[in-house]
Amino acid sequence: MRATIGDLVHTHGVTSNDGQRTGKIVEVRGANDGPPYLVRFTDGEERLIYPGPNTVVEPQRSSG
């Protein structure tokens, strides 16, 4: 998985909707744009994550 600053991260619960969260990548700490990523979630919490199989990265849209 590769991502850049500004991309959105969507995490999904395995058995319910309780684990669904969306956040923005604010820092990429891995080599070659890989994890871990520092993510700021919509509630303001920041967390270092290693995306699992139920995580989707949505590239930021360019404004051009």
Side-chain angles (χ1 to χ4, degrees), residues 44-59:
E45 177 186 7
E46 288 188 1
R47 181 177 291 178
L48 188 65
I49 67 165
Y50 288 84
N54 295 312
T55 303
V56 176
V57 173
E58 178 184 339

Side-chain angles (χ1 to χ4, degrees), residues 20-39:
Q20 293 186 359
R21 296 184 79 187
T22 298
K24 184 178 281 191
I25 295 176
V26 294
E27 187 176 329
V28 177
R29 295 192 179 174
N32 300 316
D33 297 328
Y37 305 117
L38 183 62
V39 176

Side-chain angles (χ1 to χ4, degrees), residues 60-64:
Q60 68 178 345
R61 296 185 180 151
S62 62
S63 59

